[in-house]
Amino acid sequence: MKKYRKWSTFLIACSAIFLSVLDLFIVNVALPSIKTGINGTDADMQFIIVMYIIGYASFLITGGRAGEYFGKKKVFLSGMLIFTLASLSCGLSQSAAQLNVARFIQGVSAAFMVPQGMAFIPDLFPDQKERIKMLGIYGSIAGAASVIGQFLGGLIPDLEIISESWRLIFLINVPIGITAAVLGLKYLKELPVKITGKFDLIGSLLLMLTLTAFIYPLIQGRELGWPIWSITLLLLSGVLLLVFIYYQKRNIRMGKLPLINLGSFKNFDFKMGLLISLFYYLVQDSYFLINTVNLQSGMGISSARTGMYFVCQGLGYLMASMFFTPLVTRYGKYISLIGSVIMITALLLHLILFNSNDASQLYIHIVLFVYGIGCGTILPSLMTISLKNMPEDKMGTSSGIYLTLQQISVALGVALVGGIFFSKLQHPVLASQFPIAYQWATLLNIGFLLIVSILLLLMSTIKKA
């Protein structure tokens, strides 16, 4: 009975990462349906992804610290309830503005509930070997959520349950969130509060303003012909970044705990790992954006079938990650290099295959499966490469920096690659324009992955020297 209770509590804690990942991936395949439903623009489609990520990235570190101040159970339940309400707001939104505000709130609430869910694992499984095993299961649940999200994101908009079935991709979170909150209230026990420094809300707000001032004009400015305000905001983002760095250094000088400890950047592996991860994550979600729009709007493939294609990609990812994860500690950089080469090869096959409207379904399944294998080969090793030589006293802060940069890179990739893709589509949009737009955007992603490969080779060469 005690073991059963431990497992059930673990699954409740995992509901946070499941919902947060599900909601990131479920929108990818459904974007064209959402755009039609809210009468949105190409920029609105990008913001549906980006606003969630900006909220998540800006408050991820703060969310982790919040549990140390106010109690992990309280923050977990509060985050879950706000996430559920924000999901309800997304499902009921009548305009792009309403939807994207709700998506931002979803991202912020996810940033508070996810770190708490992970924090319960060491308490539930104090034995190190058992804990490592459960962390692997935790990661597998996140991977499964991405596959389920892509499948449901394709299936649900084609259902005729309600007049605008795309709304169900958000409303489905409501019963899950309420159930998780009720079970969490009953079964999760409060962990000891550990106050380790001042709560840096100013740092979080500065980071959010910096990201918004940089990413918003990249997306909206292109669509409006780069008005003066968009250029001004881009310049302002540079100023805000300098203010943020100054504020972090000031906190260190005054003996206060900074949001981001800049001392971590003195570690060579950490710096190189972040740079490699930056270019990889520029590709991560921008791939889903351009392929979703190209498959549905360019090639005329249904939402449900598109979702099934991406399930093949997800299955390839899960299979490769399970096989290569045990080898990461010993062969991390080389495994990542193999993964990047597989992804580049798969994207070259994408360019050949998706240049035709009569592409074989079998070939599309195979190519996406191969791309998923590449993702599953490289992704498990990226965080290990960055953090494996980090001193233990800096591990917590450094992992927070890594996860924050991960989300920033995803948002930036959607803005840059999506911007290139949509800039090649003229109005009125014709099916004949999609191959060129897709080629430009995919070539940019191939370029990013080539940089990843070069950096991995450089890192290996420097280490050997």
Side-chain angles (χ1 to χ4, degrees), residues 288-356:
F288 290 109
L289 172 65
I290 64 173
N291 278 279
T292 294
V293 177
N294 184 60
L295 284 167
Q296 293 185 48
S297 301
M299 299 174 66
I301 294 173
S302 70
S303 174
R305 198 196 304 172
T306 300
M308 290 305 300
Y309 287 153
F310 284 128
V311 166
C312 285
Q313 186 271 341
L315 291 175
Y317 167 80
L318 287 176
M319 289 177 60
S321 62
M322 286 189 291
F323 179 79
F324 283 105
T325 297
L327 305 175
V328 165
T329 304
R330 188 172 181 182
Y331 305 108
K333 293 187 288 289
Y334 304 104
I335 290 175
S336 293
L337 184 58
I338 292 170
S340 65
V341 171
I342 293 174
M343 290 178 71
I344 290 169
T345 304
L347 286 182
L348 290 172
L349 293 174
H350 277 59
L351 287 176
I352 297 170
L353 190 64
F354 290 177
N355 197 34
S356 170

Side-chain angles (χ1 to χ4, degrees), residues 33-59:
S33 301
I34 298 172
K35 177 186 176 183
T36 302
I38 60 174
N39 195 27
T41 65
D42 293 336
D44 291 328
M45 280 200 289
Q46 292 171 271
F47 279 124
I48 290 169
I49 300 172
V50 166
M51 292 305 291
Y52 181 88
I53 294 170
I54 287 178
Y56 189 71
S58 299
F59 290 93

Side-chain angles (χ1 to χ4, degrees), residues 313 316-317 319-320 324 339 342 368-378:
Q313 186 271 341
Y317 167 80
M319 289 177 60
F324 283 105
I342 293 174
L368 265 69
F369 181 77
V370 172
Y371 182 82
I373 289 175
C375 295
T377 304
I378 185 172

Side-chain angles (χ1 to χ4, degrees), residues 125-155:
F125 304 96
D127 179 73
Q128 187 177 17
K129 289 184 179 179
E130 192 177 17
R131 187 188 310 165
I132 292 172
K133 177 184 176 182
M134 301 316 294
L135 286 171
I137 294 174
Y138 182 87
S140 298
I141 289 173
S146 68
V147 176
I148 294 169
Q150 290 166 93
F151 172 70
L152 293 178
L155 177 65

Side-chain angles (χ1 to χ4, degrees), residues 64-350:
R65 298 252 173 88
E68 298 174 353
Y69 279 81
F70 307 113
K72 290 178 171 56
K73 179 177 178 178
K74 292 186 183 72
V75 176
F76 176 88
L77 294 176
S78 299
M80 183 65 72
L81 288 173
I82 295 172
F83 185 90
T84 303
L85 287 172
S87 298
L88 178 62
S89 298
C90 287
L92 299 177
S93 295
Q94 300 299 312
S95 68
Q98 291 176 14
L99 177 56
N100 284 318
V101 169
R103 284 288 285 170
F104 175 76
I105 296 171
Q106 269 191 318
V108 173
S109 56
F112 281 83
M113 71 178 183
V114 169
Q116 318 315 322
M118 194 168 185
F120 283 106
I121 296 176
D123 181 69
L124 290 169
F125 304 96
D127 179 73
Q128 187 177 17
K129 289 184 179 179
E130 192 177 17
R131 187 188 310 165
I132 292 172
K133 177 184 176 182
M134 301 316 294
L135 286 171
I137 294 174
Y138 182 87
S140 298
I141 289 173
S146 68
V147 176
I148 294 169
Q150 290 166 93
F151 172 70
L152 293 178
L155 177 65
I156 289 175
D158 282 353
L159 298 177
E160 296 182 357
I161 299 174
I162 59 176
S163 60
E164 294 181 299
S165 292
W166 64 266
R167 297 183 182 278
L168 295 174
I169 71 170
F170 299 112
L171 297 177
I172 195 175
N173 294 338
V174 176
I176 299 174
I178 292 174
T179 302
V182 171
L183 293 176
L185 181 63
K186 184 175 181 180
Y187 293 109
L188 290 178
K189 70 174 186 178
E190 186 60 272
L191 300 180
V193 175
K194 298 177 182 178
I195 300 176
T196 56
K198 188 178 179 182
F199 198 70
D200 189 9
L201 184 59
I202 295 177
S204 297
L205 292 174
L206 278 173
L207 181 60
M208 181 191 70
L209 290 173
T210 302
L211 293 177
T212 305
F214 181 62
I215 293 173
Y216 182 81
L218 279 181
I219 295 174
Q220 197 69 52
R222 175 199 57 78
E223 190 153 290
L224 298 177
W226 298 108
I228 294 296
W229 66 260
S230 64
I231 306 299
T232 304
L233 268 184
L234 284 172
L235 295 174
L236 178 62
S237 70
V239 175
L240 287 170
L241 178 61
L242 293 175
V243 173
F244 174 76
I245 293 172
Y246 170 80
Y247 182 74
Q248 298 304 292
K249 289 182 176 180
R250 175 178 172 272
N251 279 350
I252 294 172
R253 286 196 306 268
M254 296 178 66
K256 299 179 180 179
L257 192 65
L259 183 68
I260 293 178
N261 191 336
L262 302 177
S264 298
F265 291 94
K266 294 178 181 179
N267 184 291
F268 173 78
D269 284 338
F270 185 66
K271 286 189 292 188
M272 288 295 292
L274 283 184
L275 195 58
I276 291 166
S277 298
L278 166 65
F279 285 101
Y280 172 81
Y281 282 108
L282 289 174
V283 180
Q284 175 83 354
D285 266 46
S286 62
Y287 167 85
F288 290 109
L289 172 65
I290 64 173
N291 278 279
T292 294
V293 177
N294 184 60
L295 284 167
Q296 293 185 48
S297 301
M299 299 174 66
I301 294 173
S302 70
S303 174
R305 198 196 304 172
T306 300
M308 290 305 300
Y309 287 153
F310 284 128
V311 166
C312 285
Q313 186 271 341
L315 291 175
Y317 167 80
L318 287 176
M319 289 177 60
S321 62
M322 286 189 291
F323 179 79
F324 283 105
T325 297
L327 305 175
V328 165
T329 304
R330 188 172 181 182
Y331 305 108
K333 293 187 288 289
Y334 304 104
I335 290 175
S336 293
L337 184 58
I338 292 170
S340 65
V341 171
I342 293 174
M343 290 178 71
I344 290 169
T345 304
L347 286 182
L348 290 172
L349 293 174
H350 277 59

